[in-house]
Amino acid sequence: MSFGETPITIIGNLTADPELKFTNSGAPLVKFTIASTPRTYNKESGQWGDGTAAFFRCAAWRRLAEHIAESLTKGTRVVLSGRIRQHNWQTPEGENRSMLAVEVDDIGPSLQFATATVQRNTPAPAGSDPWGVESGDRTTTGAVAPVGSASEEPPF
């Protein structure tokens, strides 16, 4: 993580199955949304209730993207670690837009209310990047840079 990035940990449920796509250069990209709903205790009624849900748009790249698409489905409770990113773009009408989203560094099922079976993937070939990122896809800070052309859809 680079200086100045905003780290975030989210615990919540996937609102739909992750959507796996590939950029023009062939890099896997997965998009999904997590709903995080706080539980609050009402002393007057003596019962727990749902608070207001927060929805987080998320994206992951390359090998992690493929693992997410193969492993997680709608409704899965997950624990996510990532970085908040601001994405800016211009509409075809020339209007400037922006949104905050989460670039995923790591994610897995929450084991609070479920169990999981872990299956290790085969290691990366000798001499390759174990994270599945080609050397040309990293910036000088070590963060993964978006791949593909500027005309491709936004990662979020």
Side-chain angles (χ1 to χ4, degrees):
M1 188 175 318
S2 299
F3 177 76
E5 291 186 340
T6 307
I8 188 169
T9 300
I10 301 169
I11 300 171
N13 295 58
L14 270 63
T15 62
D17 289 343
E19 179 185 348
L20 181 65
K21 295 184 175 189
F22 294 86
T23 65
N24 291 338
S25 63
L29 166 65
V30 70
K31 299 177 187 181
F32 57 94
T33 300
I34 293 178
S36 182
T37 307
R39 299 279 291 166
T40 57
Y41 185 74
N42 183 327
K43 291 181 182 180
E44 293 175 14
S45 69
Q47 297 194 6
W48 288 91
D50 288 339
T52 302
F55 294 86
F56 297 90
R57 191 71 179 136
C58 305
W61 294 92
R62 299 171 186 78
R63 189 174 289 164
L64 178 58
E66 293 175 319
H67 292 176
I68 290 169
E70 292 172 14
S71 304
L72 303 176
T73 58
K74 177 181 179 177
T76 303
R77 187 159 185 83
V78 296
V79 179
L80 175 147
S81 173
R83 293 162 280 140
I84 296 176
R85 298 284 189 172
Q86 181 163 332
H87 181 69
N88 301 309
W89 72 97
Q90 196 170 59
T91 67
E93 295 80 25
E95 298 173 343
N96 292 326
R97 300 284 171 95
S98 68
M99 70 177 285
L100 293 177
V102 178
E103 187 169 329
V104 180
D105 290 325
D106 205 356
I107 188 171
S110 170
L111 300 180
Q112 185 71 32
F113 303 106
T115 61
T117 302
V118 177
Q119 177 182 333
R120 281 211 148 125
N121 291 326
T122 57
S128 70
D129 183 343
W131 302 107
V133 179
E134 288 108 40
S135 59
D137 289 343
R138 288 195 178 270
T139 64
T140 55
T141 61
V144 176
V147 296
S149 68
S151 64
E152 291 183 16
E153 69 178 86
F156 304 105

